[in-house]
């Protein structure tokens, strides 16, 4: 079974998700700078979600690049991941419209956590299919970044009810962990 | 005639269909957990439709993987399938908003039935083009799952008017037949 | 210059156009069969536009299949075609909501006519690039179907103001010319 | 690292962006020619944005065609470009609905400027990866068109507050620079 259509379909779904999110940014009524101000929370949420989807696409790209064989379980694990990613526009819109209120912020974290869990399952199935000592297993290493991300999401969800800004700061931290390719941070995380 | 563009176009259309369905999940007005509760039927319908579209994509993927040649009729049979699939977001939204009322539930079944009929036609045309004894004909076997699915949809549509929950249970059963890859179920169905 | 990305981009754009049209079919308020009845004109227009976009995708597929080389002008001629096709959801929605009123019916015809003109320009540029006696020039032949389609669109637009059903019948006729692969009709048209 | 998926994902995102813009063109209430008139500014903005996205797709196509190797930074620079392009439907809708008012016109220019900056960064990273004397560096030459475009955008933004028609004229000029392939203009710009 070849991976080409899996990549093409995932590219298509992520491309649509990352783009229809912008439909949540509704053109404001007025034509002045003031009309843009109420959009600031929605815009910031859009940027954050765009970065998360970009990280997923990047990681998906790298992981499948190092993959030689797929199987039927991988197809479903991939659809499971795309399911949680497909909810990102919904939670982005809800959190943005409600200016980072507690419940939408926690639900946003639940969707991010479930997407990260789905990605972990997909990784495990792909590594199992390639076999031990494969190029993919070697490229992933201990995969500390993924474990740290899962832990940070799991902390952020209850913290959203205590102080939502802590939860938002944790989401931004996860994004930065993946964005900043500082090798010292990476090696420190790996230890 | 090569199958690459047929696959790419179908991937694109199914990717858009599976993703724009989420636009039917409108971000609720309030910011509390209560605001999410009325969305439950719409969310459950979304999950069901996502799984059905995932099954179609998986089966389409497998079928074309075993296909060597296509022809002009296949292109139109494929567009016919995509037409019925394109109506899934509409019936998903209608059934979800009306909390599984009888008529929307029946119409949902009609679209699923027509998509299954369209898939059967596509299968027949592909098998005819590959010739008897082809890799595709062998891979499909007696194709009992498809026949059972068609029968269950045909039963569910009138039953929606008697008791809509029976119809919904039948839809979920069809999804489970395709999702659960238990070889005993498969071999029992084949007998 | 290779044609792969031209095909991939066109597949993507046509896949999105053919799918977002369904967003014009808004889920009705009520949950009865009566609630569906007012949607009939919008649904019929959707079917017609789906068939037209399917015909364009099919012809685009066949034409580029027989193409070996493209150039910068071809890229723009292709974008010009995609521009007119991108207006199909707008005119489909307008004609459907207004139950085939005269002006929306005429404007629908203008968009179809311009798309056909854009396809003719793209064809001419591709044939010029492949050179005389090419596989593409031979496959196209006198291209009578395209000329008849252009003529029927040009007639339908003014006729929409006299009797809109004549215009609609002409649109359906053009669709049938391309859908029905009767070799006798084809050879009669070619003479 | 291969460039295929980068191209496929970018094609997908640009295809969705260029197409969902048409959702901003809402089907008017009435069925007469008068009903179309208020849509004229939105339609003109749509045409302008379609041309800009077409230019970006064309240039992206040409640039990656001359590219042999990509790296992780290129993936992010590409996502950065797609981010700014994804805002085009939003600013197109805002400018169109407000009939080219000063602030929306300036914000439209900001998005175009940032997309042009993002494209310049992507170009620099790709040239650096291919090395000096590469096919890509040669194909780009002094890249005067890009520099002139950046300068015109930077002028148009403040000028939108003095006279918005000057800003709009500058946007159209940039589009024409890229559309018209007159070799004399090109060679004059290169000197």
């Amino acid at each position: 079974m070849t991976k080409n259509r899996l990549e093409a379909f995932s590219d298509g779904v992520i491309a649509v998700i990352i783009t229809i999110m912008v439909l949540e940014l509704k053109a404001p009524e007025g034509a002045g700078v003031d009309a843009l101000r109420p959009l600031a929370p929605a815009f910031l949420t859009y940027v954050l979600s765009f970065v998360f989807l970009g990280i997923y696409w990047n990681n998906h790209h790298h992981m499948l690049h190092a993959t030689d064989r797929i199987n039927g379980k991988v197809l479903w694990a991939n659809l499971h991941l795309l399911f949680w990613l497909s909810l990102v526009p919904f939670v982005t819109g809800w959190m943005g419209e409600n200016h980072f209120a507690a419940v939408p912020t926690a639900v946003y974290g639940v969707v991010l956590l479930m997407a990260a869990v789905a990605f972990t399952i997909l990784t495990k199935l792909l590594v199992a299919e390639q076999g031990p000592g494969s190029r993919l297993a070697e490229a992933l290493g201990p995969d500390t970044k993924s474990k740290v991300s899962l832990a940070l999401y799991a902390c952020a969800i209850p913290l959203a009810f205590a102080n939502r800004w802590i939860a938002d700061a944790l989401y931004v931290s996860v994004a930065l962990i993946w964005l900043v390719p500082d090798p010292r941070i990476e090696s420190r995380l790996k230890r």
Side-chain angles (χ1 to χ4, degrees), chain A:
Chain A
M1 203 184 287
T2 55
K3 63 183 180 181
N4 296 4
R5 265 193 90 179
L6 182 72
E7 291 182 330
F9 184 67
S10 308
D11 282 352
V13 172
I14 300 176
V16 181
I17 295 172
I18 216 170
T19 322
I20 61 167
M21 273 199 308
V22 89
L23 296 175
E24 304 286 340
L25 280 183
K26 273 146 204 134
E29 290 286 305
V33 177
D34 292 347
L36 283 183
R37 218 158 288 158
L39 286 179
F43 181 72
L44 288 177
T45 319
Y46 175 63
V47 174
L48 186 62
S49 296
F50 194 98
V51 169
F52 272 118
L53 287 166
I55 290 167
Y56 272 104
W57 181 77
N58 259 10
N59 291 350
H60 197 270
H61 176 105
H62 284 117
M63 190 162 66
L64 278 155
H65 189 66
T67 294
D68 297 313
R69 280 200 313 275
I70 60 168
N71 57 35
K73 276 183 204 162
V74 164
L75 294 186
W76 278 109
N78 192 60
L79 277 163
H80 180 227
L81 170 64
L82 295 176
F83 173 75
W84 290 107
L85 294 182
S86 81
L87 293 177
V88 168
F90 170 75
V91 291
T92 300
W94 200 36
M95 185 161 90
E97 277 171 32
N98 289 288
H99 297 200
F100 307 99
V103 178
T105 301
V107 172
Y108 188 85
V110 169
V111 168
L112 289 183
L113 176 64
M114 292 310 296
V117 168
F119 197 86
T120 306
I121 295 170
L122 179 60
T123 306
K124 294 237 179 296
L125 287 171
L126 281 172
V127 169
E129 175 72 19
Q130 316 307 307
S134 64
R135 195 159 52 107
L136 178 62
E138 208 177 313
L140 285 166
D143 204 11
T144 321
K145 269 188 183 182
S146 297
K147 286 164 195 158
V148 170
S149 304
L150 283 168
L152 291 179
Y153 289 140
C155 294
I157 297 166
L159 283 169
F161 296 97
N163 186 326
R164 54 204 170 134
W165 302 117
I166 298 178
D168 291 320
L170 287 174
Y171 301 153
V172 172
S173 309
V174 175
L176 289 177
I177 288 175
W178 291 97
L179 268 176
V180 181
D182 182 345
R184 281 169 305 175
I185 289 185
E186 284 201 318
S187 58
R188 212 177 305 150
L189 281 174
K190 275 178 187 162
R191 257 181 277 137

